[in-house]
Amino acid sequence: MVWHLPPQWPAIASRTHFCSGCCFSSSVLIFSVAISRWRSASMMILSRLSSQLGLTGASRFEAHHADPGPSLSTLGLLRYPKHDKSAADATAAPRNVGHNKHTDVGSLTFLLAAQWGLQYLSLTTKRWEFIEPPAGHAVINVGDSLRFLSGGKLASVVHRVVPLRRQTQDEDRYSIAYFLRMNDGGVFHDTTGKAWTANDWHDFKFGVFKNPSALDAKGRFLTGMMMEESDKLEGGEVQIAVTA
Ligand SMILES: O=C(O)CCC(=O)C(=O)O
Ligand SMILES: [Fe+2]
């Protein structure tokens, strides 16, 4: 889903550079306004989806995302450092820059990025396809908990971040993601019928991100059980995990 950002919303979507010092501290207010607006927009989307699916009362998606939580909803600011494997100092250059294939842990993700790099796994072509950074818009992903809560009626997108040219990225890439997550203790069932609380699923999946080969050799949890049958991709796999 691509979401149009109204012009009066904080102008952070088109930024292609942030430093961790002055840029960040001068942006705290902007980020808090952004979080509040993205949360409102996310709740509106949840409400429309609940109505479309005929959900009522406590089974509506909004009921699992009450404010104040507690919840693990969060804002992430990601930097993918530039690198060039063929450069003279290639040994010192960052390697394996990107984000490995995954589905998002929570309910909805509001993703802003002005630079290329995001790919999704097309269920139609069975290939990784680049998503053109949509100027003035956010990309919105359905995450695992919303997919499971909806009993599979809503699908999560398997996605990853890769350098545009395989070994080279000419500039740092930045993205901002607002992750709306269910209230702690909220329960859903995965595709095997196993019950999880939202926070247990979050913690388990972050363990998988850190150590996929030990905890999730088949990539089932990484991909929110979206790739049970169709893990055959054109273009091969890349193992990438480095952001800063
Ligand atoms: O940086 C991006 O464009 C995507 C980041 C992402 O998929 C994530 O943090 O879950
Ligand atoms: Fe993601």
Side-chain angles (χ1 to χ4, degrees):
M1 186 189 318
V2 175
W3 173 271
H4 174 65
L5 296 171
Q8 70 273 24
W9 280 30
I12 52 179
S14 57
R15 297 274 292 270
T16 55
H17 172 76
F18 286 94
C19 70
S20 55
C22 59
C23 293
F24 187 75
S25 52
S26 68
S27 300
V28 167
L29 180 63
I30 293 178
F31 283 125
S32 3
V33 173
I35 288 172
S36 134
R37 294 204 168 151
W38 294 335
R39 182 181 157 82
S40 304
S42 304
M43 295 304 286
M44 193 265 279
I45 293 169
L46 287 186
S47 164
R48 298 280 166 88
L49 290 172
S50 298
S51 299
Q52 284 291 320
L53 294 174
L55 302 177
T56 54
S59 66
R60 288 180 67 83
F61 299 136
E62 311 92 283
H64 301 277
H65 299 80
D67 189 24
S71 81
L72 292 168
S73 296
T74 193
L75 185 80
L77 179 55
L78 302 173
R79 180 173 77 96
Y80 302 84
K82 67 179 174 186
H83 60 281
D84 180 355
K85 211 177 165 198
S86 62
D89 63 345
T91 49
R95 301 167 75 90
N96 302 328
V97 175
H99 208 314
N100 209 352
K101 75 175 178 200
H102 67 284
T103 52
D104 291 339
V105 169
S107 299
L108 288 174
T109 305
F110 246 81
L111 184 63
L112 304 171
Q115 293 147 297
W116 287 82
L118 180 63
Q119 289 188 323
Y120 72 102
L121 179 60
S122 164
L123 296 177
T124 318
T125 64
K126 296 269 193 282
R127 291 175 61 101
W128 290 106
E129 309 285 358
F130 276 104
I131 300 180
E132 182 173 355
H137 292 71
V139 172
I140 301 182
N141 293 340
V142 168
D144 300 330
S145 55
L146 191 56
R147 173 166 116 83
F148 293 141
L149 263 186
S150 75
K153 292 193 175 105
L154 301 172
S156 306
V157 65
V158 179
H159 56 286
R160 68 181 186 180
V161 178
V162 292
L164 257 189
R165 286 183 281 139
R166 216 174 165 80
Q167 305 292 0
T168 306
Q169 185 176 294
D170 299 330
E171 57 179 3
D172 290 349
R173 176 179 184 275
Y174 292 89
S175 64
I176 303 168
Y178 171 66
F179 300 97
L180 178 78
R181 295 181 175 142
M182 273 172 64
N183 292 137
D184 290 355
V187 175
F188 55 77
H189 294 84
D190 70 18
T191 56
T192 69
K194 178 174 163 42
W196 295 84
T197 61
N199 39 307
D200 280 349
W201 176 264
H202 170 280
D203 294 350
F204 179 75
K205 192 148 163 170
F206 271 80
V208 167
F209 276 125
K210 286 186 200 146
N211 197 351
S213 52
L215 290 173
D216 190 21
K218 294 189 175 163
R220 295 175 68 236
F221 292 102
L222 216 51
T223 59
M225 302 177 178
M226 281 293 296
M227 289 180 63
E228 309 276 65
E229 308 293 331
S230 60
D231 200 359
K232 296 183 180 54
L233 305 178
E234 301 281 330
E237 285 297 300
V238 281
Q239 286 300 316
I240 42 184
V242 177
T243 54

